[in-house]
Amino acid sequence: MDKRSKIIIRTIAIIEMLIGSGISLSFIITSLITPPGRPKSVYTFVIITSLISIVIGIGLFQYKNWARKLLIFFAGYVIVTKFLLFSNLVEFTGNTVKFVSINLKDFFSFIYHCSILVIFNLKDIKRALN
């Protein structure tokens, strides 16, 4: 495995674990501070997707190909949902990040997940994951 691929995989693994744990913690802390104003399904969705990010990060950190495949699937799902949000075809009320505008957060999420699709389909990255 070449060093560049290893660094890229580990960096994205850390990013995924930070995203997952950051969203989970912010959602839990916000829920403890203010009374829940969202349906339980929103809480369930956010917690499950956060846990998926953490699991993906752990898998990538161990260079597991299943984590690559799950991340590609998850990135595709996020890209489709962001497109639906941008086109105002759907509305999501479960946003947890308040210090950045929702549109800016969604834009960066869209760009990040598009990059994931490109990066994790590179031959060197595929080869580095067993």
Side-chain angles (χ1 to χ4, degrees), residues 17-18 28 33 62 69 79 81 83 88 96 107 113 118 122:
M17 289 186 284
L18 288 173
I28 291 167
I33 294 172
Q62 298 172 351
K69 290 177 182 178
I79 290 167
T81 58
F83 176 76
N88 292 318
T96 58
F107 174 75
H113 287 95
V118 172
L122 295 172

Side-chain angles (χ1 to χ4, degrees), residues 51-68:
L51 292 174
I52 290 170
S53 288
I54 293 168
V55 168
I56 288 170
I58 292 168
L60 288 175
F61 213 77
Q62 298 172 351
Y63 303 105
K64 300 296 182 185
N65 195 42
W66 62 261
R68 175 190 153 273

